[in-house]
Amino acid sequence: MAHKNQQSTPRRSTWSFSSLHISRTSGEDGKLRPGQRRTKLFSSVRADFWKSEKVPEAIADANGKARPPAGQEHGTIGDEEVDHGRMNTLSSMWNNFQEKLSRGAKDPTPSQHAAPAPAASPAGTCGQEPCHASEQFFFEYLVVVSLKRKAEGGYEPQITYQFPKHDGRVKFQKQEEETTLKAITLFCFPEGINWTPMTDYRSETFSFVLTEVDGSRRNGYCRRLLPHGKGARPPEAYCIISRVACFGLFSKIFDEVEKRRQIAMAMIYPFMQSLREAPFPAPGDTVKIKSFIPESGTEIISLTRPLDSWLEHVNFHTLFHCLSDAEVLQVFAATVLERRIIFVAEELSTLSQVIHAVTALLYPFTWQHTFISIVPEILIDVVMAPTPYLLGVQKHMLDCVTDHTDLLIVDLTEGAENTFITSMGDENTILPQKLEEEILLALSTRKENSTPEELKKVVSEAFLPFFIKTVGHFTSHMKRERRGQQGVFQKKSFSKAVEPKATRQFVKKFMQTQMFDLFIQELEQQPVLKEGVFQKKIAEYQEKRKAEKAKKP
């Protein structure tokens, strides 16, 4: 087992702090069918607000399909319970966030070195905009964000380069773009306005997510570095916005952008134009991009997408470098029960890599609540949110976290005296002991200097069986009257089928989470269950068990 600090080496949309996502399946009469659950969300108490206020475009990586944790709801709206005190707090906080961001979005965003518009549009686009198929393209935007000195002191992040430039847009499109670009500047420099020019700065690459009101996500990839020049100067950031979640691939793209930026800003355009016109490869495939560089000639750049697409946005090395295996399991346990968790570090790359790695451990389930890998200083009040969240907070802002009630704060700083600054105290008893021991045993098989791909294989083989053994029998409890009809999940029989008792107790708690609830609801709506990675692994596990039983006398 690795020890702590030992390396084991697109469409029009609106963002909200907590998005309105109600996923319900009902009969023709609008009522819930037997065995179904009603998703408990606080969105209903905010209905009047959303009707009366203009909600800004995707600002933060907050996937707010949020509801209060089980056992903490009070009062009722219809047949939905809600804690009015908590909801009022959240309402007031969101109004405050909106006011801050709307003020910032009114400021013009200069583009002093904007790239020329391409002469022709790639196939499948409307002008320069993808026609509801942006996932087929590498990216939507590339921007360069620079720190500009303000007359009254301090620095303000501003976009000094944007590709592509969208001309001829109508008013609402321009407003949405301005707000999105303002959000990008916030996440590229989340520390705020206080900067000191420097002559040495270690480049770092990190990511964030822009979540829209329908729950869909756009990924922001950033590389922050010291621009080419002499003397003390502030850093600048490259940022790519894409529907595609593939951190390693965009890290390589940044290498190419950075190389061209050192020659001239104008050298970025032809490379990004070639990339924008190239189709995004399928998992395991490679796309080749031609690019000309003075004195080097035409280069062929190969970009390969990982075969395991659900892990392509993740690098587990930082997670297992900062935390011991046992500590990772405690964080995993708290995440599975959808608790409020804050990760603390000074490096932006550490925060983003760790928080994305933690959510990857949940596969095939998806974190449904507020998710901000790097919290900008202007939005630090998000730590007061009463609903579940995963937040990355730079250590110098830790004093802003004044309420430690029902909170797990994880210090990722190397040599930290206490990894868990505050906790609920039961994190090491949530998971069934036998299954926890199996995960630890599987993790102990990794090599000290394993490659990122080798580590992904070990980690996935350690955590995926956990969900197979706890809830992998769900297919046997999805009833359909006829083939091709939507299903109804048999909750009671599913719960009773879990053995042993310790595992059943855990599953009953997990069944109350929104990630499980929405997972089941999506399956209920499928006329025929789709065979994905999880289903294939379940089938392999069941066949293995049958073979083992057959061998017994």
Side-chain angles (χ1 to χ4, degrees):
M1 174 169 50
H3 297 285
K4 180 175 171 60
N5 301 322
Q6 176 181 338
Q7 188 168 2
S8 60
T9 302
R11 55 187 160 257
R12 184 185 180 193
S13 56
T14 305
W15 172 86
S16 68
F17 165 68
S18 289
S19 308
L20 310 182
H21 182 92
I22 304 179
S23 179
R24 297 174 182 167
T25 306
S26 58
E28 294 179 357
D29 57 357
K31 297 181 179 180
L32 293 178
R33 290 195 296 267
Q36 292 182 298
R37 298 144 316 288
R38 184 181 295 276
T39 306
K40 295 179 182 177
L41 304 175
F42 62 79
S43 58
S44 54
V45 303
R46 302 292 297 129
D48 293 338
F49 171 73
W50 298 115
K51 291 177 183 177
S52 61
E53 299 288 345
K54 172 176 170 53
V55 188
E57 169 96 20
I59 299 299
D61 51 350
N63 187 6
K65 304 177 227 174
R67 68 174 182 183
Q72 296 183 12
E73 305 93 337
H74 304 287
T76 62
I77 294 181
D79 59 351
E80 295 184 11
E81 298 177 343
V82 68
D83 182 332
H84 294 288
R86 289 188 168 208
M87 295 306 103
N88 289 335
T89 300
L90 190 57
S91 171
S92 174
M93 187 164 53
W94 166 238
N95 277 314
N96 184 36
F97 291 164
Q98 180 179 327
E99 183 181 351
K100 290 178 181 178
L101 271 298
S102 61
R103 283 202 306 265
K106 293 176 183 177
D107 299 332
T109 304
S111 185
Q112 300 169 0
H113 303 282
S121 302
T125 63
C126 304
Q128 295 173 34
E129 286 294 293
C131 298
H132 303 287
S134 59
E135 65 275 12
Q136 296 178 4
F137 297 87
F138 272 90
F139 69 99
E140 295 180 12
Y141 292 106
L142 164 72
V143 298
V144 178
V145 182
S146 304
L147 289 172
K148 299 297 182 180
R149 188 183 293 275
K150 300 173 66 175
E152 62 271 25
Y155 286 85
E156 180 181 16
Q158 293 182 351
I159 293 176
T160 54
Y161 179 92
Q162 175 187 335
F163 174 82
K165 281 291 289 180
H166 301 301
D167 299 320
R169 287 185 149 197
V170 297
K171 184 177 179 181
F172 80 83
Q173 290 176 320
K174 291 180 180 178
Q175 290 174 339
E176 289 179 345
E177 182 177 70
E178 286 176 3
T179 313
T180 297
L181 295 176
K182 184 64 180 179
I184 293 173
T185 65
L186 287 178
F187 284 95
C188 286
F189 291 96
E191 298 91 340
I193 64 173
N194 298 317
W195 283 88
T196 301
M198 57 196 75
T199 57
D200 183 46
Y201 179 81
R202 187 177 67 178
S203 172
E204 58 180 336
T205 304
F206 54 95
S207 63
F208 57 89
V209 180
L210 303 177
T211 302
E212 296 164 13
V213 80
D214 63 355
S216 62
R217 296 179 175 185
R218 291 187 292 173
N219 302 282
Y221 301 91
C222 292
R223 175 164 294 181
R224 216 163 69 174
L225 70 164
L226 207 59
H228 187 67
K230 295 181 180 180
R233 54 206 184 277
E236 68 179 12
Y238 307 134
C239 182
I240 293 176
I241 300 297
S242 174
R243 294 280 178 183
V244 177
C246 191
F247 189 87
L249 203 61
F250 283 95
S251 183
K252 186 172 182 179
I253 290 171
F254 277 131
D255 292 341
E256 299 298 329
V257 171
E258 186 175 343
K259 182 166 63 176
R260 285 155 180 77
R261 172 68 175 90
Q262 301 303 326
I263 301 172
M265 186 75 81
M267 290 303 304
I268 298 175
Y269 171 77
F271 170 68
M272 296 306 293
Q273 177 63 14
S274 297
L275 188 65
R276 187 171 172 82
E277 293 176 349
F280 190 72
D285 289 350
T286 298
V287 65
K288 297 183 183 295
I289 308 295
K290 290 184 179 180
S291 180
F292 176 80
I293 297 181
E295 300 181 3
S296 299
T298 300
E299 292 186 350
I300 304 295
I301 300 153
S302 297
L303 300 171
T304 302
R305 190 178 176 193
L307 189 59
D308 293 329
S309 58
W310 64 280
L311 286 174
E312 62 189 347
H313 191 59
V314 182
N315 187 330
F316 287 112
H317 273 297
T318 303
L319 174 64
F320 286 94
H321 174 67
C322 294
L323 304 177
S324 69
D325 292 1
E327 289 166 346
V328 169
L329 274 181
Q330 291 184 58
V331 172
F332 170 70
T335 309
V336 164
L337 292 191
E338 295 182 339
R339 293 183 172 180
R340 299 161 71 233
I341 307 174
I342 295 176
F343 297 91
V344 178
E346 208 53 66
E347 299 80 12
L348 302 180
S349 55
T350 298
L351 288 174
S352 71
Q353 289 176 26
V354 166
I355 200 168
H356 282 291
V358 168
T359 56
L361 300 179
L362 299 174
Y363 181 84
F365 301 94
T366 304
W367 179 261
Q368 300 292 336
H369 303 274
T370 302
F371 175 87
I372 312 181
S373 55
I374 299 169
V375 178
E377 189 174 79
I378 193 175
L379 299 180
I380 189 59
D381 287 346
V382 72
V383 300
M384 298 187 300
T387 51
Y389 57 57
L390 294 177
L391 305 178
V393 174
Q394 288 181 282
K395 197 161 189 177
H396 69 272
M397 293 192 290
L398 184 58
D399 290 342
C400 298
V401 187
T402 55
D403 183 6
H404 291 187
T405 307
D406 299 336
L407 189 63
L408 176 63
I409 303 179
V410 186
D411 192 345
L412 303 173
T413 308
E414 188 167 356
E417 184 176 347
N418 295 308
T419 300
F420 301 128
I421 296 175
T422 186
S423 66
M424 297 280 286
D426 65 344
E427 288 82 2
N428 60 354
T429 62
I430 293 173
L431 306 180
Q433 184 176 351
K434 184 177 183 297
L435 296 181
E436 185 175 280
E437 290 172 353
E438 289 178 1
I439 295 175
L440 291 172
L441 180 61
L443 291 174
S444 68
T445 63
R446 68 184 185 275
K447 300 175 184 177
E448 185 175 349
N449 296 315
S450 56
T451 66
E453 294 307 312
E454 290 172 340
L455 185 55
K456 285 179 183 179
K457 188 174 186 298
V458 171
V459 174
S460 64
E461 291 178 352
F463 284 88
L464 194 55
F466 173 83
F467 289 115
I468 292 173
K469 295 175 182 178
T470 52
V471 298
H473 59 296
F474 65 88
T475 54
S476 302
H477 301 271
M478 188 69 67
K479 302 301 181 183
R480 288 177 170 81
E481 291 184 9
R482 293 192 303 271
R483 182 176 175 82
Q485 282 195 340
Q486 293 186 356
V488 177
F489 182 58
Q490 306 296 309
K491 182 178 178 180
K492 289 186 178 180
S493 62
F494 170 82
S495 176
K496 289 180 179 180
V498 180
E499 293 290 347
K501 185 178 179 180
T503 303
R504 189 184 311 128
Q505 291 174 344
F506 164 79
V507 170
K508 285 182 177 179
K509 294 178 182 178
F510 182 57
M511 289 171 66
Q512 298 177 48
T513 66
Q514 190 167 330
M515 72 177 83
F516 180 82
D517 196 62
L518 293 182
F519 176 81
I520 292 298
Q521 288 190 31
E522 288 174 5
L523 292 175
E524 286 176 327
Q525 294 168 14
Q526 296 174 9
V528 179
L529 287 179
K530 298 176 182 178
E531 187 173 315
V533 175
F534 189 45
Q535 283 78 2
K536 289 179 181 178
K537 293 292 184 181
I538 290 173
E540 292 173 3
Y541 172 72
Q542 291 174 342
E543 287 297 322
K544 183 179 178 181
R545 289 195 64 184
K546 287 180 181 178
E548 290 174 349
K549 288 182 179 179
K551 290 180 181 179
K552 291 182 179 180

